[in-house]
Amino acid sequence: GAGVSQSPSNKVTEKGKDVELRCDPISGHTALYWYRQSLGQGLEFLIYFQGNSAPDKSGLPSDRFSAERTGGSVSTLTIQRTQQEDSAVYLCASSWGLAGATGTDTQYFGPGTRLTVL
Amino acid sequence: ILNVEQSPQSLHVQEGDSTNFTCSFPSSNFYALHWYRWETAKSPEALFVMTLNGDEKKKGRISATLNTKEGYSYLYIKGSQPEDSATYLCAFPYSGGYQKVTFGIGTKLQVIP
């Protein structure tokens, strides 16, 4: 079946421009996550959506970052006024979100968007 | 910020060698421990989810053990093959009620033919 898809796969932008990154989760998955991996760093949590609950935005590094999830499905991560330190691979993942407090939910990752800010 | 550490950060082994690496995590408020494999130019994919102290999971030549009391998990690869070359990530859920997860930096394994 279809996995998690992300677009674009690569994005090169100039400092100060806005960018939008898109994630299509697996159909039926209620949980959606955004992460980023900067060069030489581990996966950094950005934001989490679960069903109709308010998103957990605690990982967003600044107010230039925002994300929305429409209709409980597609999500868009927007970075305004991009800076060079925003250059990273942005990964989206989704999961069934049904494991409650057990921590056993497996995340299914998309291929990522490589963002380069010049 | 929770401390999830992986060691070593990189590893080169010859084809056919067996190898192992470590994930260390906080031993309090344990929910589960996940292992993922991330091959270059591909998406990370799940290997194991482990929940019980003493748990041992196996998938082909890859196995993992879990010690929740001392806060570590080992991943073993028996008879490494070039296709095992990847970054191996461990992930530690740290919020009950949902699935917020901290990832380790990963162990990058290179198997030399």
Side-chain angles (χ1 to χ4, degrees), chain A residues 29-33 48 50 94-108, chain B residues 32 34 36 46 49 93 98-99 101:
Chain A
H29 279 190
T30 63
L32 187 146
Y33 307 76
Y48 164 85
Q50 171 62 60
S94 69
S95 70
W96 289 109
L98 301 176
T102 65
T104 57
D105 225 16
T106 292
Q107 295 184 29
Y108 297 82
Chain B
H34 298 251
Y36 289 85
V49 55
Y98 57 87
Q99 307 291 318
V101 172

